[in-house]
Amino acid sequence: MRKIKLFIAMSLDGYIAKPNDDLSFLKLVEKQGEDYGYADFISEIDTVIVGRKTYDYVLKEIGPSHYDNGNRDVYVITRTERPQIGRTIFYNGDIPGLFKRLKNENGKNIYCDGGAELINELMMHSLIDGFVISVIPILLGAGTRLFQDGRPEQRLEFISAQTFETGLAQLTYEKNS
């Protein structure tokens, strides 16, 4: 069975964005030649699922090939119907049903790239199997929290912790079966 994995950065106080979806704090840890394990992580992925706001931001800042490189399926979770573009599918149906179906298909792992609404919907249904959380050395004080209140308790198994020269600390956990 395929696994759903989260690979995301947050501030030390748990925010993935400042108010108004401002991600500028991520630049604090940018370093030439350092990808914090992203290339290794993405090599085990053949499906990406992302919320529409995160998708639009990445499209604007990086470009469409970041997600749809021709080698993987991309599902953009949206409330608005849009036609498929290449291997990018704009999905507005039952989210837990989509994830359960994808987990049972053959293939590599599934990467959930946010945003917070999508992550917390998956957390409500205990659908995330692995967590790679990069902690940025900053306290933001406000913004969009990675984990919202009201989700069920989930026990995790600690896999590893890695620190980097920039002050970023990366924590890896897996869901207990």
Side-chain angles (χ1 to χ4, degrees):
M1 180 180 285
R2 300 164 79 188
K3 292 187 176 191
I4 297 172
K5 304 239 178 173
L6 179 66
F7 189 104
I8 198 161
M10 70 176 191
S11 65
L12 182 59
D13 53 351
Y15 295 99
I16 59 172
K18 291 165 66 170
N20 301 313
D21 298 323
D22 179 354
L23 300 176
S24 61
F25 75 99
L26 298 175
K27 294 184 187 314
L28 293 172
V29 294
E30 283 183 358
K31 182 180 176 190
Q32 186 72 26
E34 180 59 75
D35 77 346
Y36 300 105
Y38 183 77
D40 288 339
F41 173 82
I42 206 73
S43 72
E44 299 176 3
I45 301 295
D46 68 1
T47 304
V48 177
I49 301 187
V50 60
R52 196 238 353 122
K53 286 193 270 186
T54 302
Y55 175 79
D56 288 347
Y57 176 84
V58 169
L59 220 62
K60 185 179 101 188
E61 295 295 318
I62 301 173
S65 64
H66 179 74
Y67 289 129
D68 188 352
N69 64 0
N71 296 318
R72 57 181 165 248
D73 294 325
V74 179
Y75 289 84
V76 179
I77 307 303
T78 179
R79 291 181 179 89
T80 308
E81 282 191 45
R82 289 169 58 179
Q84 181 171 333
I85 302 170
R87 290 182 69 174
T88 302
I89 299 158
F90 296 90
Y91 183 84
N92 65 349
D94 174 50
I95 295 170
L98 171 66
F99 277 84
K100 289 173 186 171
R101 177 177 60 84
L102 290 173
K103 282 180 83 157
N104 287 309
E105 291 178 355
N106 290 328
K108 294 181 176 182
N109 290 325
I110 302 161
Y111 170 27
C112 177
D113 191 25
E117 284 182 54
L118 176 57
I119 292 166
N120 284 286
E121 175 74 15
L122 298 176
M123 296 292 295
M124 291 299 290
H125 299 278
S126 299
L127 289 171
I128 299 177
D129 302 298
F131 301 80
V132 179
I133 301 174
S134 296
V135 180
I136 310 294
I138 187 170
L139 298 168
L140 295 178
T144 304
R145 285 205 170 277
L146 174 55
F147 299 116
Q148 304 297 316
D149 293 339
R151 70 190 174 287
E153 181 178 301
Q154 296 174 43
R155 293 192 46 90
L156 304 175
E157 178 183 345
F158 172 74
I159 302 301
S160 67
Q162 187 174 359
T163 58
F164 295 85
E165 208 176 90
T166 59
L168 182 143
Q170 192 170 74
L171 307 172
T172 303
Y173 295 92
E174 288 184 0
K175 181 170 72 171
N176 280 347
S177 300

